[in-house]
Amino acid sequence: MHILELDKITKRFGSTTVLEHVTLNVSQGETVSIIGSSGAGKSTLLRCVNQLELIDSGRISLEGEELVTTDEKGSVNYLPEKELRRIRSKTAMVFQHFNLFPHLTCLENITLTGIKIRKENKSETEAFAHSLLKIVGLPHKADAYPSQLSGGQKQRIAIARALALKPKVMLFDEPTSALDPEITGEVLTVIRKLAEEKMTMLVVTHEIPFARDVSDSVVYMDKGQIVEVGKPTEIFTNPKTERLNTFLSSILRI
């Protein structure tokens, strides 16, 4: 069974269709990179997975539980809000911008949801947060404030905050796009480590070498559709469509 199933997802903003009959299955422990030009629908697809955007038709299933279905009449049926929150908690999303609370320390940013929302034990939650700070390479920044961090450090704290939710699926929406090139690598190193540990991840990225080296599979999207899906060696060395070949030529200048 796939941990995540997206079946014929369509999403419109007004008269504009941004996702059109998108179907994608993700297995447990798989790293899936999603590539494509800006406006291809990549970020919208992630936002539909964790319900920041509601779909217009299709089906989404997480760990065998259907969040949303579409009946024969075309009506979209979401689960009740309480059930949606429970299933949504199985995912965590890291955005392009860090969205850290400036008045809280790094440790407080990481533990906020666990302590305040989930009412978890404070000492256990803080101990877990310290272990996450080690994972992202910032054990010495627990008491630092976001204003005292570099962009790469802020994004690594944002990753630790997402991991604190103990998600089954991590969603990364272009996590390095707001970073200077010289500090992009420190964030990608953390994501590589998660991939090695078989965290299930969907990563929207423009970092082609990263997608090629780390992904179990790569999805190429264009104009709201999935054009090709395959192993990195297939996608990057033997594109089957002219659309992907043109995209890679523009990115890699080959």
Side-chain angles (χ1 to χ4, degrees):
M1 182 183 70
H2 298 108
I3 188 171
L4 176 64
E5 297 179 357
L6 307 175
D7 184 30
K8 298 179 181 177
I9 302 301
T10 295
K11 172 64 182 178
R12 302 182 187 90
F13 291 115
S15 60
T16 302
T17 300
V18 292
L19 295 174
E20 186 174 9
H21 295 101
V22 172
T23 295
L24 178 66
N25 295 323
V26 180
S27 298
Q28 176 74 44
E30 189 177 18
T31 297
V32 178
S33 289
I34 306 175
I35 63 172
S37 302
S38 296
K42 308 181 301 296
S43 296
T44 300
L45 184 61
L46 291 193
R47 293 173 67 86
C48 288
V49 171
N50 73 346
Q51 302 149 64
L52 289 175
E53 300 289 352
L54 301 182
I55 65 174
D56 290 291
S57 66
R59 181 182 68 89
I60 301 176
S61 173
L62 182 60
E63 283 199 314
E65 295 187 280
E66 292 185 328
L67 288 73
V68 55
T69 58
T70 302
D71 61 27
E72 295 179 353
K73 297 180 180 180
S75 297
V76 177
N77 302 297
Y78 275 89
L79 289 176
E81 181 59 31
K82 183 178 180 179
E83 286 296 289
L84 282 179
R85 285 198 303 269
R86 178 183 61 80
I87 299 175
R88 184 167 52 223
S89 69
K90 296 181 180 182
T91 69
M93 192 161 176
V94 177
F95 299 88
Q96 298 177 28
H97 299 283
F98 328 113
N99 299 327
L100 300 176
F101 292 106
H103 63 291
L104 300 180
T105 66
C106 292
L107 184 69
E108 290 168 338
N109 266 282
I110 296 169
T111 60
L112 180 66
T113 298
I115 294 173
K116 298 295 185 181
I117 306 300
R118 297 187 174 185
K119 307 299 182 182
E120 296 171 347
N121 179 273
K122 182 178 180 180
S123 61
E124 292 178 359
T125 302
E126 289 183 345
F128 183 51
H130 280 290
S131 72
L132 294 175
L133 284 167
K134 292 180 181 178
I135 289 174
V136 300
L138 296 171
H140 56 296
K141 294 294 185 179
D143 297 324
Y145 288 88
S147 62
Q148 299 171 309
L149 305 179
S150 69
Q153 290 172 335
K154 291 176 183 177
Q155 191 63 295
R156 283 188 279 164
I157 294 299
I159 293 173
R161 180 180 58 184
L163 290 171
L165 301 176
K166 302 176 183 177
K168 299 298 180 68
V169 179
M170 284 280 284
L171 309 171
F172 290 90
D173 185 12
E174 299 187 30
T176 61
S177 65
L179 303 178
D180 293 331
E182 61 267 23
I183 59 176
T184 292
E186 61 190 48
V187 174
L188 295 180
T189 295
V190 173
I191 301 176
R192 286 175 187 270
K193 185 185 302 184
L194 296 177
E196 291 170 358
E197 296 173 356
K198 295 301 179 183
M199 165 69 75
T200 306
M201 298 187 291
L202 271 70
V203 186
V204 170
T205 183
H206 290 297
E207 301 290 338
I208 298 301
F210 168 82
R212 181 182 57 215
D213 296 342
V214 175
S215 307
D216 295 296
S217 62
V218 177
V219 175
Y220 169 60
M221 293 185 66
D222 186 40
K223 298 179 180 178
Q225 298 176 319
I226 291 180
V227 179
E228 289 195 42
V229 180
K231 299 292 184 183
T233 52
E234 299 169 352
I235 293 293
F236 295 117
T237 63
N238 188 31
K240 297 180 176 61
T241 63
E242 184 60 32
R243 290 161 76 181
L244 176 54
N245 188 60
T246 300
F247 170 75
L248 292 177
S249 296
S250 67
I251 295 294
L252 303 176
R253 301 188 185 280
I254 56 177

